[in-house]
Amino acid sequence: MSSANTSRRVAFETIRAVNESDAYANLLLPKAIARAALDTADAGLATELTYGTLRRQGTYDAVIRIAADRPVQEIDPAVLDALRLGTHQLLSTRVASHAAVNESVELARSAGSRGAAGFANAVLRRISRDTPGEWMDRVAASARSDDERLGLVFSHPVWIVRAFRRALAAEGRADELEALLTADNASPRVTMAALPGLAEIPDAARRTPYSPVGFRLGGGDPEGLVRSSEGRVRVQDEGSQLAALALVNALPVADGERWLDLCAGPGGKTALLAAEARTRGAALEANEVSSARAGLVRQAVAGIPEGIPVSEEDGRTRAGEDAYDRILVDAPCTGLGALRRRPEARWRKSPADVPELTQLQGELLAAAVRGLRPGGVVAYVTCSPHLAETAGVVAEVRREFDGTLEELDARAVVTSLSASDPLLPPQSDGSGRAQLWPHRHNTDAMSITLLRRH
């Protein structure tokens, strides 16, 4: 088997596991690449094929439905995944058409039968006869509404399209919807963080525009740098860096403060908070209810010399009463802000998930407020721009603690950290919430709210 075919096989098996077993591509793919002993170029091909196919799955299903003249639900799931992978190569890569068709047919044959191979061959050859633009026109024409058209063409479920439109409209920027959907389908650049007081940004690196500890490498594998630094240099989205730094910089830090990362897994923000606490005379504790994720937190803070205690308690009771000066609530959420990195999430979440999540988010934030000492600050953070998970949760908790909470201007705090003005417009509800966006800031769509207890 050629190296390119091995890359296709790795991508196909990863996509199968994602769609069949609810696996996570970002966890599974690196292991599959290592097992196959792919070199850098072939690992890059496997990564592009996997993530590209998963991101554009909704669009490719629409193309396959038209080309096969049958609903995709009637196609064997393994054969459908082979068709998706082949369609991605035909419409979105420079892979030669004959290679894309032939190898995808072989994948269908191995997963199905001789009849499955013949069916896959017919569908993919039909797709290969027309240009990507012609297929996009057909897909758009098949939509029953404008929202459905956007969902099909940009490969997002309609409910997410509508949630994004409302969140952008809260800033008066609903006209940026297509730019946001496009950004969600682009491969994100790798961003690094150098833990303050423990690591320096390499001379050859390019600093990020907003986070003072962020940088991008000129090339090469970042994992080598992470390992050699013992985790004091990390891969971390710039939005996540800003979320942690916003809590630290919301108010001047007094010596001896107690900080808590309430929902710490997997630990990236914890490590940055720990480094900041170390340089500012504060003490950080971390909590993560999931034992597996708590283990990841312990790994993330292993490079902090003094060590960080990590508890495994329910965040709704962990903070206690009047105990902490600063608390980070990086709340469990739909993850709609990180669809570039976790493309399968868009197909796994539904509107039905939102009420249960917002209930939990509100309970965690309320618990954090009770855990603050007078004058203390909580940062409420979600990797989602969904207004129910952001503005809605904060408004409900502020009503619960009527008159005891002051909202700080998170937009001003984030801007004060930045070498470039991030241009964070006001929210229509008059809040101080800071909302980052993939299409505007090249970060995950992180929402940051800062609340101070009187």
Side-chain angles (χ1 to χ4, degrees):
M1 183 182 294
S2 72
S3 59
N5 291 347
T6 303
S7 297
R8 291 186 180 94
R9 171 63 64 176
V10 166
F12 175 69
E13 291 176 352
T14 302
I15 293 166
R16 285 299 302 130
V18 166
N19 288 331
E20 185 177 39
S21 306
D22 286 342
Y24 292 92
N26 66 315
L27 301 179
L28 190 60
L29 182 60
K31 297 176 182 177
I33 288 172
R35 281 197 306 271
L38 298 181
D39 63 22
T40 301
D42 290 324
L45 176 60
T47 301
E48 157 55 25
L49 294 179
T50 301
Y51 281 91
T53 302
L54 290 171
R55 287 189 186 102
R56 301 304 303 270
Q57 180 173 303
T59 303
Y60 298 151
D61 282 1
V63 172
I64 292 164
R65 172 178 53 79
I66 295 169
D69 194 25
R70 71 175 67 173
V72 294
Q73 293 82 1
E74 295 179 5
I75 300 173
D76 177 82
V79 175
L80 178 58
D81 280 336
L83 289 172
R84 289 164 170 162
L85 183 58
T87 303
H88 175 63
Q89 294 172 76
L90 289 171
L91 299 185
S92 301
T93 75
R94 296 181 179 179
V95 173
S97 294
H98 69 275
V101 172
N102 293 341
E103 296 307 323
S104 298
V105 168
E106 285 306 310
L107 291 172
R109 188 193 311 279
S110 68
S113 63
R114 185 179 298 275
F119 170 71
N121 183 64
V123 172
L124 291 173
R125 290 193 182 281
R126 172 71 188 89
I127 294 171
S128 70
R129 286 200 294 268
D130 296 322
T131 67
E134 289 169 331
W135 278 111
M136 290 307 101
D137 288 344
R138 290 191 187 103
V139 167
S142 71
R144 295 163 296 184
S145 68
D146 189 55
D147 284 350
E148 186 175 271
R149 177 189 65 80
L150 290 171
L152 291 175
V153 170
F154 292 99
S155 194
H156 284 67
V158 169
W159 77 274
I160 295 180
V161 172
R162 291 170 177 164
F164 283 173
R165 180 187 287 111
R166 287 192 290 270
L168 287 167
E171 301 180 355
R173 296 178 180 270
D175 59 341
E176 295 180 5
L177 178 59
E178 291 195 12
L180 171 58
L181 298 175
T182 299
D184 261 355
N185 290 330
S187 300
R189 288 182 287 178
V190 175
T191 306
M192 312 291 292
L195 297 185
L198 296 171
E200 299 292 334
I201 295 176
D203 290 339
R206 185 161 60 88
R207 291 179 178 269
T208 52
Y210 309 124
S211 168
V213 302
F215 66 96
R216 294 192 178 93
L217 296 173
D221 182 5
E223 290 306 314
L225 179 58
V226 173
R227 287 192 298 271
S228 66
S229 73
E230 299 181 332
R232 297 176 183 184
V233 172
R234 316 181 51 79
V235 175
Q236 187 175 40
D237 179 74
E238 194 175 8
S240 293
Q241 297 174 35
L242 292 170
L245 294 173
L247 175 62
V248 176
N249 291 275
L251 294 171
V253 178
D255 190 56
E257 284 190 2
R258 290 185 69 196
W259 300 356
L260 173 64
D261 188 350
L262 190 63
C263 312
K269 298 181 186 70
T270 317
L272 183 50
L273 285 175
E276 287 281 355
R278 181 175 178 271
T279 64
R280 295 170 184 259
L284 174 70
E285 301 166 25
N287 179 72
E288 172 53 53
V289 67
S290 162
S291 293
R293 288 170 63 84
L296 296 176
V297 177
R298 294 186 180 99
Q299 292 176 26
V301 299
I304 307 299
E306 293 79 9
I308 301 298
V310 180
S311 58
E312 299 180 18
E313 300 178 28
D314 188 327
R316 291 169 289 190
T317 56
R318 168 63 177 80
E321 302 283 339
D322 303 339
Y324 295 94
D325 299 285
R326 297 175 201 244
I327 300 178
L328 174 65
V329 181
D330 184 12
C333 66
T334 55
L336 300 187
L339 298 184
R340 303 176 305 161
R341 302 179 191 283
R342 299 183 182 90
E344 66 271 18
R346 71 186 76 184
W347 314 118
R348 292 181 177 172
K349 299 295 183 181
S350 76
D353 296 317
V354 176
E356 183 177 354
L357 282 168
T358 56
Q359 175 75 21
L360 175 60
Q361 290 156 359
E363 291 171 357
L364 288 167
L365 179 54
V369 171
R370 287 189 289 271
L372 286 175
R373 292 170 175 166
V377 179
V378 59
Y380 174 68
V381 175
T382 62
C383 191
S384 169
H386 196 301
L387 292 179
E389 298 186 89
T390 57
V393 167
V394 172
E396 184 61 34
V397 170
R398 292 193 71 185
R399 281 192 291 270
E400 180 180 346
F401 292 88
D402 183 36
T404 64
L405 290 175
E406 170 194 1
E407 183 170 12
L408 305 180
D409 190 344
R411 294 192 308 277
V413 174
V414 171
T415 300
S416 73
L417 295 167
S418 305
S420 304
D421 185 348
L423 296 175
L424 298 168
Q427 301 291 317
S428 60
D429 61 2
S431 72
R433 184 169 66 89
Q435 178 66 60
L436 300 167
W437 294 104
H439 68 293
R440 301 187 67 221
H441 308 107
N442 198 32
T443 68
D444 292 344
M446 198 71 65
S447 171
I448 306 167
T449 296
L450 299 172
L451 299 173
R452 185 183 190 189
R453 179 178 173 184
H454 286 310

